[in-house]
Amino acid sequence: MDLRYSQEDIEFRQKVRAWFEENLPKKKIESFEERREWHRKLYDAGFIGMGWPKEYGGQEARPMEQAIVGEEMARVNAPAGVNGLGISIVGPTLIHHGTDAQKDEHLKKLLTGEEIWCQLYSEPNSGSDLASLQCRADIDGDNFIINGQKIWTSGAHNSEWGLMLARTDRRASKHNGISCIMVKMDDPGVEVRPLKQISGSSEFSEVFFSDVAVPADNLIGELNTGWRIAQTTLSYERGGNTLSRVSRLQTTLDRLLEVAGELRVDGTRAIDDPRIRQKIGQIYSEVEVLRYASLRLLSKLEKGERPGPEASVSKLHYSELDKRAQEIIQEILGPYGQQISGAGEYAFDESDVPYGEADTWAYQFVWSRAGTIYAGSSQIQKNIIGERVLGLPKEIRADRIELEERRKEEAAADD
Amino acid sequence: MDFDFTEDQNMLRDLAREFLTEQVSVAHIREMMEDETGYDKDLYRRFLGLGLIPFPEEYGGAGFGMVESCIIMEEMGRIPYPGPFFGTVILAGQAIIQSGDENAMSRYLPDMANGDLVVSLAFLEDSASWTPATITATATKDGNGYKLNGTKRFVPWGAQADVLLVAARTGEASGPDGISLFAVQANSDGVEATPETMLDLNSRTATVKFSDASAELIGEEGNAWAGLDRAIQRAAVAASAEMLGAARRAHEMSVDYAKVRRQFGQVIGQFQAIKHKLAEMLEQVENAHSAAYYAAWALDADAPDATLAASVAKSTANEASRHVCGEAIQVHGGIGFTWEYDLHFYWKRAKHQEVFYGDSDYHRERVLQEVLAGNVAR
Ligand SMILES: Cc1cc2nc3c(=O)[nH]c(=O)nc-3n(C[C@H](O)[C@H](O)[C@H](O)COP(=O)(O)OP(=O)(O)OC[C@H]3O[C@@H](n4cnc5c(N)ncnc54)[C@H](O)[C@@H]3O)c2cc1C
């Protein structure tokens, strides 16, 4: 065990820190185009797609270097770039399963933010049970004809492209009839309807497809292997960069300590109230444990080990911790935690500091409810941990019973 | 950055596990519950004979640090081992080492390493608190030595110890200043140890009364607090590892049981209520692991956040082991509530260590103090 950063890592961190001091936007990013420009700057500095192969525009950086950039960005509350899903999901999907032509066409543009992508997986009736999806892609000559609906599509309104899972064989069992297809979001027949989230903003949408013609060349991998392809990239999403989450939480706690040093409860400063001290000590400890766990994961990644189903323990940990932390922060701040505007001296951000998305206590609180739903809900993570890490038997489910019965019928028919 | 154990550390774990699983049978643990002394001296000596002792080499140890201590204690927690290893080697050993008194080290440590001496630290008083302000025992100069007066509570293996290390006041001050550390021979006049039975029958403690007992100063008069604090921190981290071992074992037993116990025509591990509970327990065990070993490393490396990490580790292990060992009983149902089934060993060992060397409230407060003082890793 040796948890020191190497000299190389320390120097790299200094370089990164200096870059952000120099280049951090001086004023708040207002428009998507401004954010795209900022993203381009991050890309030119070598901070985007860092782990990707060089031939596709990446840096082949070590996991530690990627983690350091994530941490440093969070430390100064740097605005996020664009195309998060494109870079974390679509890129790796193309790298692993795309044709050379598909890679040449998209990978570089995806990194630089020229092409923004969204993830067209979830449907109204297919969320956790994603494999039950019904949106169809029927082959018609050189095209797929797409009909159906997707929902909760983050960033759909800003995207040029979408990575879709669609049903291409309706007779096959549910996991075996799905394909992975690239769809242009401005094709005729695609309609994006933004949905308002509990945060009040519209970051995800529902997307309708009516007879949308998509070239058959847009298929990724083989026909009807979409489920397997999606599995490889969903695990990327779950691996996550937890150290940057830690930094973000630490930045939040730093501000909480400042506020607790000024806010008065029952005639004393909040920070002198033993009940509040216990609460802050509690979250601070939990965030430290997340940091230690992240270093443990990172040390495995550095050795080239890829976390398998254990990544679910990490996802469960950080998403549930975020909820606990935000609840405790709200308890401490009382009504000040709920202020959306008109916030004064106890607000989360200070207006002269450049920042990204999370700009009020209330906004952070609201967002903490999302992490345990997307990218596999906490219940799904617990199933994965129970079945694939601990080796407990799979649960008895109606769809499995149905499948079993169908297999029996087919076997009987064959006889 | 490497969070994995070295090859030597893995070998150390294997050696400890092999000895403990082979030599400390369930029958032995149960026998020791009824035993007046509470541990087998011969077995204790044989364990020490393996040489897995975290003392400096010149005093009969293996030169191990806290990471190694934690590996040993985690293995002991998996048994859980009945005997004075923790009290003597970790707690009292650290109290002597951290005092910086080389005379005391050469006088006591070699005999503690070979099993000739059982030593304990008598710190707690009536309020059972680990803060320095609660120390009221006094020592007054008497010729070359001192006379010690006061009552110490919950002294680990206090009735079995040959030597008691006692925290007492030599001055008028009431806080951390004026605390000194003394060695008292347990069989000398004016020392009266009353053994007490605790929830964990394998973790013995005693109330020890000192009435003008002859005492020998360790370290400098009035300056013992800093060293004691370091020793208690190390004990807290080693106890975290012991609780981790207990929790990990209770979790393993629960997973195994959930795969074989059938109700309603299926194994209970197929019910989500049980499966999800076991998944949550795993998360807590892994968190306790990350926290205990991070803290052990930070103490060994003298990292700026070592004190913070020690407190994070203890409060995390407290909550995790309490929850995991308790839920393990729930997963087992009625059998988990029986004396004959071994699960309660772990639950009780974890509960025992939870309240010593700082409970969760104590450590959460300490975490905040360290953060406000800027003693963090950034
Ligand atoms: C902020 C946000 C952004 C998102 N962005 C995208 C996106 O860009 N693209 C995209 O495709 N999707 C996106 N999603 C959708 C997300 O992936 C789904 O919400 C998620 O898969 C859950 O599906 P669902 O909403 O249909 O809930 P359901 O699956 O209906 O779940 C409802 C409840 O039932 C529980 N449940 C379901 N199955 C089980 C089971 N087997 N055992 C126990 N409990 C179960 C769940 O845990 C949950 O508590 C986003 C969601 C959110 C909140």
Side-chain angles (χ1 to χ4, degrees):
Chain A
M1 265 187 90
D2 183 358
L3 306 183
R4 281 171 308 183
Y5 290 93
S6 70
Q7 196 52 37
E8 193 189 344
D9 296 335
I10 293 169
E11 280 162 20
F12 180 74
R13 185 186 295 278
Q14 282 164 351
K15 261 186 13 211
V16 174
R17 194 167 287 186
W19 189 91
F20 278 102
E21 265 161 29
E22 171 105 19
N23 291 288
L24 205 58
K26 301 286 178 278
K27 63 181 203 17
K28 187 180 165 183
I29 288 182
E30 304 275 359
S31 69
F32 190 71
E33 280 318 307
E34 280 172 21
R35 192 174 292 281
R36 244 181 173 156
E37 274 170 43
W38 165 240
H39 179 94
R40 180 70 208 206
K41 229 172 152 173
L42 290 170
Y43 174 78
D44 290 337
F47 298 152
I48 301 289
M50 293 180 69
W52 287 28
K54 287 208 168 110
E55 54 176 319
Y56 305 127
Q59 305 285 326
E60 296 179 13
R62 289 179 299 118
M64 177 57 88
E65 291 170 329
Q66 301 173 46
I68 288 172
V69 171
E71 266 189 301
E72 290 300 315
M73 281 187 73
R75 203 182 68 89
V76 293
N77 241 343
V82 293
N83 213 17
L85 283 170
I87 292 163
S88 63
I89 306 241
V90 183
T93 304
L94 284 174
I95 290 173
H96 286 283
H97 306 284
T99 62
D100 286 343
Q102 288 170 342
K103 291 179 191 173
D104 288 346
E105 174 62 26
H106 298 292
L107 285 176
K108 178 78 191 288
K109 289 184 190 156
L110 204 148
L111 273 188
T112 56
E114 260 172 275
E115 265 181 14
I116 308 290
W117 284 69
C118 59
Q119 183 189 20
L120 299 163
Y121 285 13
S122 305
E123 296 181 8
N125 291 318
S126 305
S128 301
D129 183 12
L130 186 59
S132 69
L133 59 87
Q134 293 301 324
C135 181
R136 311 165 42 170
D138 301 318
I139 297 186
D140 177 27
D142 290 340
N143 286 330
F144 287 112
I145 304 297
I146 297 177
N147 279 289
Q149 184 195 345
K150 295 290 176 179
I151 197 167
W152 324 128
T153 316
S154 300
H157 55 299
N158 284 321
S159 297
E160 278 88 25
W161 284 86
L163 184 72
M164 173 183 273
L165 289 181
R167 191 152 299 283
T168 39
D169 182 349
R170 285 195 291 153
R171 279 166 323 179
S173 66
K174 68 180 192 179
H175 295 90
N176 292 324
I178 295 172
S179 296
C180 188
I181 301 168
M182 303 185 288
V183 181
K184 242 175 153 301
M185 296 298 283
D186 60 2
D187 273 346
V190 180
E191 190 197 343
V192 176
R193 289 188 207 151
L195 293 166
K196 200 163 177 171
Q197 301 174 186
I198 59 172
S199 57
S201 51
S202 296
E203 283 143 288
F204 60 35
S205 301
E206 45 186 352
V207 187
F208 296 85
F209 298 86
S210 337
D211 290 328
V212 178
V214 169
D217 284 348
N218 285 10
L219 175 71
I220 298 177
E222 306 270 306
L223 196 69
N224 296 327
T225 62
W227 183 252
R228 198 173 44 79
I229 292 172
Q231 288 302 300
T232 55
T233 44
L234 280 177
S235 68
Y236 273 86
E237 199 179 4
R238 277 179 204 138
N241 183 352
T242 51
L243 267 185
S244 65
R245 290 171 211 278
V246 171
S247 289
R248 223 168 298 141
L249 281 164
Q250 282 175 336
T251 307
T252 300
L253 293 186
D254 286 347
R255 179 69 188 134
L256 179 69
L257 284 173
E258 278 174 17
V259 171
E262 291 160 17
L263 192 65
R264 299 189 80 82
V265 285
D266 305 335
T268 62
R269 295 187 311 156
I271 196 67
D272 296 327
D273 180 323
R275 290 166 306 172
I276 290 176
R277 292 177 77 83
Q278 283 291 314
K279 287 175 182 175
I280 302 181
Q282 169 72 32
I283 347 173
Y284 207 98
S285 299
E286 290 204 43
V287 172
E288 280 297 284
V289 175
L290 184 64
R291 187 171 75 81
Y292 311 155
S294 309
L295 294 176
R296 197 170 155 205
L297 186 67
L298 191 58
S299 121
K300 289 210 181 308
L301 292 171
E302 281 278 285
K303 292 180 185 170
E305 293 170 39
R306 286 273 275 114
E310 316 88 76
S312 288
V313 179
S314 168
K315 160 91 202 313
L316 181 64
H317 182 194
Y318 69 67
S319 58
E320 291 289 339
L321 161 56
D322 195 29
K323 275 197 310 209
R324 288 195 295 274
Q326 297 299 341
E327 291 287 359
I328 296 181
I329 290 170
Q330 288 293 325
E331 274 177 26
I332 294 169
L333 296 175
Y336 292 106
Q338 297 182 24
Q339 258 179 325
I340 290 174
S341 74
E345 60 270 46
Y346 305 129
F348 175 66
D349 70 300
E350 291 157 38
S351 49
D352 56 339
V353 171
Y355 56 88
E357 297 281 1
D359 56 358
T360 60
W361 298 114
Y363 192 85
Q364 292 197 9
F365 174 59
V366 168
W367 261 102
S368 72
R369 301 307 310 188
T372 55
I373 299 172
Y374 63 63
S377 73
S378 289
Q379 286 68 38
I380 297 301
Q381 303 302 339
K382 288 178 200 174
N383 277 349
I384 295 173
I385 296 166
E387 291 165 15
R388 296 197 225 148
V389 181
L390 301 176
L392 297 166
K394 289 192 167 181
E395 61 189 315
I396 294 164
R397 273 189 345 216
D399 64 334
R400 290 199 181 120
I401 295 170
E402 236 169 70
L403 184 68
E404 197 57 31
E405 277 168 5
R406 222 173 102 180
R407 283 208 185 113
K408 273 188 208 146
E409 277 168 24
E410 280 168 11
D414 285 349
D415 284 344
Chain B
M1 177 71 54
D2 187 357
F3 216 115
D4 287 335
F5 298 110
T6 63
E7 209 159 301
D8 284 350
Q9 288 166 343
N10 284 328
M11 276 165 55
L12 157 71
R13 183 185 294 280
D14 290 346
L15 196 63
R17 182 170 297 187
E18 193 182 301
F19 181 95
L20 291 166
T21 47
E22 279 174 12
Q23 308 277 323
V24 191
S25 65
V26 172
H28 175 74
I29 295 170
R30 291 180 179 277
E31 194 187 324
M32 287 305 115
M33 290 179 187
E34 315 285 325
D35 190 82
E36 201 189 334
T37 312
Y39 77 103
D40 178 334
K41 288 185 185 166
D42 177 57
L43 181 74
Y44 178 57
R45 272 180 196 279
R46 281 189 287 125
F47 181 79
L48 295 176
L50 296 176
L52 309 182
I53 297 167
F55 293 166
E57 280 161 280
E58 63 264 46
Y59 304 119
F64 288 159
M66 279 307 297
V67 174
E68 287 81 5
S69 297
C70 282
I71 291 172
I72 298 167
M73 285 318 305
E74 185 183 353
E75 291 305 317
M76 289 198 161
R78 289 178 64 91
I79 299 300
Y81 168 75
F85 181 86
F86 184 91
T88 296
V89 176
I90 305 285
L91 182 63
Q94 283 298 326
I96 294 172
I97 293 167
Q98 300 300 334
S99 76
D101 183 334
E102 289 178 9
N103 282 335
M105 290 186 222
S106 55
R107 169 133 186 234
Y108 295 111
L109 295 182
D111 286 340
M112 290 159 74
N114 64 28
D116 283 351
L117 272 189
V118 169
V119 183
S120 190
L121 176 68
F123 183 93
L124 293 181
E125 299 191 4
D126 288 357
S127 65
S129 155
W130 294 89
T131 53
T134 61
I135 303 283
T136 63
T138 56
T140 45
K141 241 194 155 108
D142 177 52
N144 284 338
Y146 290 78
K147 286 271 178 250
L148 207 139
N149 282 288
T151 300
K152 292 291 182 178
R153 299 266 183 199
F154 305 109
V155 181
W157 300 88
Q160 292 81 349
D162 305 298
V163 175
L164 295 160
L165 307 176
V166 188
R169 289 198 180 276
T170 39
E172 297 299 309
S174 57
D177 297 335
I179 293 176
S180 308
L181 185 64
F182 296 93
V184 177
Q185 301 298 316
N187 61 5
S188 56
D189 289 344
V191 181
E192 192 195 324
T194 312
E196 50 217 354
T197 309
M198 300 291 284
L199 178 71
D200 176 12
L201 295 177
N202 291 125
S203 289
R204 301 295 171 93
T205 60
T207 297
V208 187
K209 221 168 151 177
F210 300 91
S211 323
D212 281 336
S214 304
E216 208 181 298
L217 183 67
I218 292 181
E220 276 172 49
E221 189 183 305
N223 264 339
W225 175 248
L228 273 170
D229 189 28
R230 285 194 299 273
I232 294 166
Q233 263 175 45
R234 281 158 177 77
V237 172
S240 303
E242 185 175 16
M243 289 188 280
L244 162 66
R248 170 99 56 198
R249 186 77 196 98
H251 181 247
E252 287 169 4
M253 286 175 71
S254 306
V255 171
D256 290 346
Y257 188 73
K259 287 177 184 171
V260 296
R261 171 69 179 167
R262 297 183 73 87
Q263 286 292 283
F264 299 99
Q266 62 180 67
V267 296
I268 57 167
Q270 210 162 10
F271 293 117
Q272 260 194 7
I274 299 294
K275 184 179 284 174
H276 286 192
K277 201 186 278 301
L278 291 169
E280 288 158 16
M281 287 157 73
L282 179 70
E283 184 204 324
Q284 292 196 307
V285 171
E286 295 301 347
N287 286 346
H289 175 110
S290 301
Y293 285 102
Y294 181 93
W297 170 81
L299 287 167
D300 285 342
D302 205 13
D305 59 332
T307 298
L308 169 69
S311 284
V312 169
K314 185 62 163 55
S315 57
T316 302
N318 280 351
E319 304 298 309
S321 65
R322 166 207 295 204
H323 182 253
V324 171
C325 296
E327 290 293 70
I329 296 175
Q330 182 66 23
V331 168
H332 279 79
I335 192 113
F337 197 70
T338 61
W339 190 263
E340 286 69 30
Y341 204 76
D342 304 335
L343 203 55
H344 64 111
F345 299 177
Y346 305 105
W347 184 59
K348 290 173 181 173
R349 177 61 54 89
K351 196 70 196 162
H352 183 84
Q353 291 294 49
E354 181 186 328
V355 299
F356 289 97
Y357 323 111
D359 61 11
S360 301
D361 285 357
Y362 169 93
H363 284 292
R364 282 190 287 256
E365 168 63 27
R366 192 99 198 237
V367 163
L368 187 67
Q369 286 173 14
E370 289 297 304
V371 171
L372 291 174
N375 299 327
V376 297
R378 279 170 280 167

